[in-house]
Amino acid sequence: MPGLYSSATSQQPMASLGVRPATYSSTSVHEQDSGLDWAGQIVDKHMLEDRSYPDLSELLQVPSHDYPTASGLSEYDYPSHSVHGVGLSSLAQVRETKHTPLPPELVERFAHMQCNCNMGLFPEINRAWLTIDSDIFVWNYEDSGDLAYFDGLNETILSVALVRPKPDIFQSHIQFLLCLATPIDIVLLGVSFTSSRAGGAAEQPYAEMHLLPDPLFTIPSDNTYVTDIAASGNGRVFMAAKDGCLYELFYQAEDGWFTRKCRKINHSHSKLSFLVPSFLNFSFLEDDALVQIAIDDTRNILYTRSEKGTLQVFDLGSDGLGMSRVASVSQQTAVYNASLIVRTIDKSNFKPIVHVAAVTSEESANIHLVAVTHTGVRLYFSTSHFYSQQREPYTLSLVHVRLPPGFCASAAVPRPSHVHMAHYKNGALLLASSLTEEEDVLHTMSGDAFPFQRHLLETQSTTRLYGRAWALGEAPVPAPPRGSGYTPPELQRPDPPSIVTQHVQAPRRFITLTRQGSHLIDLLRPVEQLRHLLEASGGADAEAVKAFFTLHKDAQACASALILACSKAAADQQVSEWASRAFFMYGSEPRMVFPTATADVQQQQQPGLQPTNLLGAGAFSSPTVANTSIGTPGLSTRGFQPPQASTPVPGQYAGAQGFQQVGTPAATPTHGLMGPEVQFSGKHNGLYLYFYRILGSVWDGRLVSEVAYQNRQGQPALCLNSSRNADELGWYVEQLRALRDFLDKNQQYTICTVTPDRSVLPRNLQQRVIGFMRPDVSLASTNHMDQVQQQLQTKYQVEAQALEKRSLLNLHALVARTCEALGLWKILCDHQFHILVSALPPNVQDQLRMQVFCDFVVNGKELSNKLILCLISRYLGDNATTDAVSDRLRDVCPSLYSHNDAVASKASEVLQISKSVQNKHEKEAMLQESLQRYKEISTQLNLPLICQQFEEVHFFGGVVDICLTAALKRDPQGLALHFYKNGEPPEDAQGMEAFRARVDCYRAITDMLHNLLSVCLQHPQAPSVPAAPGPPPAPDYNRLTPTQAEQQMEKTLQMALKSDDELFHTVLYDWLLDMQLTDKLLEIRSAYVESYLKRSVSHQADNLQLLDMLWKFYEKSQQYIAAARILTKLAERHGSDVNLKRRVEYLSRAAICAKSADLRSTAGNEGEFLHELEEKIEVARLQTQIVDALSVKEHMRSSTMLEVIGRLNAQLFDITQLYGEFAEPFQLPECKLAIVHCAGHVDSVLIEMLWREIIEEEMKKTVGRSTETVMTTLSNRLVALGRIYASSDRFFPLEFLVRLLEQRCCQLSADAALVVNTLLAAGVHLPALLGTYDKLYRAKDPWWQSSRKPLHLLTVITKLLALFVDAPNAVAHQERRKFIAMCLDVVTAYLVDLQTMSASADTDAGALVRSFRALHAQLDRML
């Protein structure tokens, strides 16, 4: 990777800042890379071999769906470990790990049983269940704890099933459904769990079970006797019934138009069967009850088995939501077809069928169903053509018959009989056969011990059960450690054998439920068997351990031994030592193989096992892995050429050729002579195999994946993210480090101490080998050839050992490099991988996108260096953090990151020396020298690195100088500025390139300014307690304080602004805007600022920030009219980015600017512009009033109202539009009154109507409240409006308001002085108010008489006069005498009227007479 210089051909490793590069030998580097390439290709070969396991149909040797086969008749189909020469008769295949009795509470319940009881398993939640009559009990079968029960049914429970609910129907806490079927009802219960974490152990998601007391759904069974219930993975519930029909319990969240939430669907009848009553349907059906359902969720196929052995196939559709019956095979047909395949076996062995199991696509692509008979015979079926593109089933064809152990004439084990229960999954078969009526024996058959075979070989074992098996099941395999999951490399391939994944997966565990309780049985894999043998033998020096290596062949056995040898668990220390010893003792030795030996091995590996070579030839293990060997030289795509002819030479990288092995056709050339081949030892192959198995699909998987996200603009985008998270990578690193420690611990095995001396080899080797290969040699030469063979074997044995050691050294280097690569990748993931990668150049991102891990390890050092540089660049602002990251990088990946990767240039040396210089003038001179040397470089500079170094020594002026100089050198003709001023046309490729080159240079300056700004914004460090006693730590003089950073930033900014580079000014202004430093930008006195803002606004007319900047610039430069016009434009623009409040602020600011311009100028057009602004401000305030009125409406949250408010905020309307489009349609009387007042429109009828609407609207708001509250609310509103309009008689109709308000007071029996007080508070003068009341009284309106309050106005007048008497100052002094005289006149007149009324014995009139006389006397005294 380039250092301070970058060129297209540079392959120099990444530079580490400040250190001169070390000199490496190109030969050693080439040899190291070649060794990694060599080891990588061997890993590729083992990868292909590990993935070459056959499909189940291939193991059964079924070529096509219409060519059925049989197996099990040969004793070698079930090989015994007690075969002569092996000595593994005691090797256990299964192990009973735990026996847990039934909970004691349940045993007592059996005494109360009346009708029926049954038991079963829910393995997915580690529970067993028991039904006794109508009650169900569920408990943890591992410890008999967490007993839960449900007793809410009244009928006997017939069938039970645990169902995963359909999504988005029930609440999240309901994790499962418990389906219970009785003769009367079918019930769905909710099941929830409480997780727990005890003692630091992993979280147990199903620790405590809770059954909801109330059923979620209950439907009648319609006299349907349910025999079995099964559920699909998507939550569908199917039921097998005694009437021979298949039902589905359909449930949904809500009722449909013609459907209920929960109903029962009969899939065995036509859609019109509902027209026939259920009791009639039952009578017409054949008496063949369905007894079992099996579902294949991987293919969406459902199978049923009837009581008479009929098998049916139902297609659930591609989405798993359909249902159609596609095939049916009777037991008679199946037995007949099986008898044609195996004619020597009695037909009675093929019936009855007691169990069926789906064979998922994870096990086989061609075999789909297996049926088990009462004698343990397995019948394999297929529902379509082999390797057909058609995924839908259409038939049910018997393709293979597998007989159980015991059918061979020489079989030493009894055959199963009276099988009444079975379990099959992923190649493992459990059969429960009856010994007596109350005791069973469990037969276990599995092919895990014989992977990579050409046909199915299985081990078998029997376990006595003390009781009759009530249920069989398999516990879910515990999740492997996080990140250790083995992903199948090919999605269309079945899951690999257990020997491939035994280092990450726990052993399979089966549960047998009897009346004695639960029996947990583990199916042992090779690694558990080896552990058992080592512990039983007390070490590796035992024949049983040696026989284990013979049985599994040395390569596979060594790989299994490495799992134990590399274990870091404290409890495994002794076993680890024993496994290591066994690895070296029985891992065989490398050897050279001559052509005749090759022929012998090839003959041994021909299909068809013979009794004499059953174990010696490795028939029980992979025919290829154990014999990885090297043949004739070939071409290497990675460029590695061996120095000697017999040195291993890799073939094509993907493994299509690979290393030639002994016995393969590729090892036998059709012309010329093939030399001797090296056959590596089992230790060698086991190490390579284990290395690949640790990595699994990571080895040839992509490093990154594209992840969709939303960018800042809210638009969808893609970013690169790691295909593995940090936890996963940590697991891989941990496992590989254990392997590396194993190799380090046993360096005496991997260090090459023997170098083959080719000078002592016979010169006529080729002629001797030719003679050795000829079959027609004379007898006289036989002894000579034997002598030659012994000599060659001795010589080549030494060479074979040297070649293997060399290969192991390469593996050691590959393991170390892989640990480093994974460790680096984990560090990158810990530091936000997607952000780091986004900083890489696009071409590097493209390279990363296509990179696979194996290439990254072997040939990815340059890419690693770029990633490290990208990581370091993020931490240059903080020396402490950078040091920590650097230390971690050196610890994790020392070969990818070191001090020897520094930039080797004189300028860098001077710069580094200047850091230690204390003299200020000398340091400045050295910095200037470094700057001048950089400026003299004609090649393209690595500016980011240079600028970072300058920033470290606070040479900020040098950053500006070098960047501007580099920009000029990259664009000496000024093409970038021409490109910029012409609108950046995309067709100008040359100008675009120059523009990008300049911007890249300027970016270093803005980055530096950004760093300074960050320091400026930091808070001063608070005092802290020292970390250790002693003198205070030395101050860091290189660290800038916020004050110093601010000074440096200002100084650097002023220096940068002196540049005459207009394009640089543009980039700098952009940065100031991005950093929200608008004040800084406005303070700049440069001719480029105005042109920059104008151009930016012209290109981004909708950019509010730029428009704000432009008017502020004009205002600051005292161009007030220009500022006012931009502000007006901002206020009048359409759009939701500016709300109405801000528009009013813009208009107000524009008015201020216009006034400022008017003071400096006498132009008439400016005065007219100011007048227009003032009018717009007034109308805008009316618009604000409308928005406020709409916002308090009760129905403001409706979509229409929100849309209207959005329109009002999006633009300014004229006064006509405000009245006609908003105030009038939405009944806003106050707003209409304000608009009429603003327009000066005098219409007394309209104004009185608006006042009436205002009063009525206010009173409606307080409907149902007390009179005092109603009138107080109305009074407050009128006071506020009166202060606005009381000064204008045309818009404040006093007489109308007094009459209307007094009428409302009469209706509500309010305080008589309320209206008077309200109007006086609103600003109405007392004389005018008295005149209005007197006029209303004189009018003798019949309304008062009809409302039975004829004296109300006189009562109010007494209150009004009393207010004047109590506060004469309410009337101006110069008008007071005249007002008093007026009061005396009206009082006299009122007394005359009242005296007439008092004559009629009106008590109210009498009281008013007394009040008026008292007021008259007081008024007389006031004259």
Side-chain angles (χ1 to χ4, degrees), residues 184-203:
I184 304 300
D185 298 318
I186 301 173
V187 179
L188 279 182
L189 297 176
V191 182
S192 62
F193 292 91
T194 302
S195 61
S196 68
R197 185 189 298 271
E203 182 178 3

Side-chain angles (χ1 to χ4, degrees), residues 1105-1158:
Q1105 184 185 20
L1106 291 175
L1107 289 171
D1108 278 339
M1109 284 293 300
L1110 187 56
W1111 75 258
K1112 289 177 181 179
F1113 171 78
Y1114 283 138
E1115 185 184 49
K1116 205 171 188 67
S1117 59
Q1118 298 184 353
Q1119 301 180 50
Y1120 295 115
I1121 292 299
R1125 295 193 184 280
I1126 294 177
L1127 286 166
T1128 305
K1129 179 181 178 182
L1130 285 170
E1132 295 176 347
R1133 64 182 291 170
H1134 290 218
S1136 58
D1137 54 345
V1138 180
N1139 58 23
L1140 183 58
K1141 180 180 179 181
R1142 196 169 181 183
R1143 295 178 192 275
V1144 175
E1145 293 175 356
Y1146 280 141
L1147 289 175
S1148 302
R1149 190 80 182 189
I1152 295 174
C1153 290
K1155 290 178 181 178
S1156 300
D1158 189 46

Side-chain angles (χ1 to χ4, degrees), residues 58 149 307 624 721 831 858 902 1157 1245 1307 1340 1391:
E58 297 170 350
Y149 69 94
E307 191 173 20
T624 58
N721 203 0
H831 293 82
V858 176
V1245 176
Q1307 293 172 349
K1340 303 298 182 180
L1391 287 173

Side-chain angles (χ1 to χ4, degrees), residues 408-427:
C408 176
S410 59
V413 294
R415 67 182 64 174
S417 62
H418 302 95
V419 175
H420 64 89
M421 187 173 294
H423 173 82
Y424 178 87
K425 186 177 181 181
N426 290 338

Side-chain angles (χ1 to χ4, degrees), residues 7 156 267 301 413 633 742 759 833 868 888 929 984 1036 1180 1317 1326 1336:
S7 61
T156 301
H267 288 300
I301 302 177
V413 294
F742 175 83
S759 61
F833 180 88
I868 293 175
R888 186 178 176 189
E929 179 185 354
E984 303 179 15
D1036 186 3
N1317 292 329
L1326 192 59
L1336 289 175

Side-chain angles (χ1 to χ4, degrees), residues 360-421:
T360 65
S361 61
E362 297 170 352
E363 183 180 359
S364 175
N366 302 318
I367 308 296
H368 303 156
L369 178 69
V370 59
V372 183
T373 71
H374 81 296
T375 59
V377 176
R378 278 170 279 175
L379 306 178
Y380 292 90
F381 294 87
S382 178
T383 61
S384 61
H385 286 253
F386 282 14
Y387 305 107
S388 172
Q389 297 297 326
Q390 179 182 359
R391 297 178 58 88
E392 297 79 9
Y394 67 90
T395 185
L396 189 63
S397 304
L398 179 62
V399 296
H400 188 80
V401 177
R402 177 74 172 183
L403 300 176
F407 277 86
C408 176
S410 59
V413 294
R415 67 182 64 174
S417 62
H418 302 95
V419 175
H420 64 89
M421 187 173 294

Side-chain angles (χ1 to χ4, degrees), residues 1134-1357:
H1134 290 218
S1136 58
D1137 54 345
V1138 180
N1139 58 23
L1140 183 58
K1141 180 180 179 181
R1142 196 169 181 183
R1143 295 178 192 275
V1144 175
E1145 293 175 356
Y1146 280 141
L1147 289 175
S1148 302
R1149 190 80 182 189
I1152 295 174
C1153 290
K1155 290 178 181 178
S1156 300
D1158 189 46
L1159 295 175
R1160 302 179 62 202
S1161 173
T1162 58
N1165 56 349
E1166 296 178 0
E1168 183 179 352
F1169 176 61
L1170 177 60
H1171 179 67
E1172 292 177 357
L1173 282 176
E1174 291 173 346
E1175 290 182 345
K1176 290 179 180 179
I1177 293 173
E1178 190 172 356
V1179 175
R1181 288 172 179 165
L1182 290 175
Q1183 187 169 335
T1184 303
Q1185 185 178 352
I1186 292 176
V1187 171
D1188 296 339
L1190 290 174
S1191 299
V1192 298
K1193 287 283 187 180
E1194 294 181 357
H1195 56 289
M1196 64 161 293
R1197 295 187 178 180
S1198 66
S1199 58
T1200 303
M1201 189 62 66
L1202 293 176
E1203 182 180 353
V1204 170
I1205 294 177
R1207 285 185 58 201
L1208 289 168
N1209 277 290
Q1211 69 178 92
L1212 294 177
F1213 293 89
D1214 59 35
I1215 197 169
T1216 304
Q1217 291 174 314
L1218 291 176
Y1219 190 91
E1221 297 181 15
F1222 301 99
E1224 179 65 28
F1226 293 99
Q1227 297 298 317
L1228 304 175
E1230 290 186 26
C1231 297
K1232 290 192 284 186
L1233 180 62
I1235 293 173
V1236 171
H1237 180 265
C1238 179
H1241 179 70
V1242 180
D1243 186 344
S1244 59
V1245 176
L1246 175 62
I1247 293 173
E1248 289 179 359
M1249 181 187 69
L1250 294 176
W1251 278 105
R1252 181 182 295 275
E1253 291 178 359
I1254 292 172
I1255 293 172
E1256 296 297 336
E1257 183 179 354
E1258 286 297 323
M1259 295 185 69
K1260 286 181 181 178
K1261 294 178 180 179
T1262 55
V1263 171
R1265 299 185 181 182
S1266 64
T1267 300
E1268 182 180 359
T1269 302
V1270 173
M1271 298 309 296
T1272 301
T1273 303
L1274 179 61
S1275 173
N1276 293 336
R1277 192 63 197 150
L1278 290 176
V1279 169
L1281 293 174
R1283 290 173 180 173
I1284 300 174
Y1285 303 108
S1287 60
S1288 175
D1289 295 339
R1290 294 179 297 178
F1291 299 99
F1292 194 78
L1294 184 60
E1295 182 178 348
F1296 169 79
L1297 291 174
V1298 170
R1299 181 173 59 251
L1300 181 61
L1301 291 173
E1302 291 295 351
Q1303 288 176 356
R1304 297 294 180 266
C1305 284
C1306 288
Q1307 293 172 349
L1308 298 175
S1309 300
D1311 184 11
L1314 180 65
V1315 177
V1316 172
N1317 292 329
T1318 298
L1319 294 175
L1320 289 176
V1324 179
H1325 296 296
L1326 192 59
L1329 188 59
L1330 178 61
T1332 301
Y1333 273 98
D1334 183 64
K1335 183 177 180 180
L1336 289 175
Y1337 172 75
R1338 302 293 179 190
K1340 303 298 182 180
D1341 191 338
W1343 188 91
W1344 307 105
Q1345 195 69 31
S1346 62
S1347 62
R1348 297 181 180 182
K1349 291 189 177 182
L1351 301 179
H1352 176 75
L1353 292 177
L1354 291 179
T1355 303
V1356 175
I1357 291 174

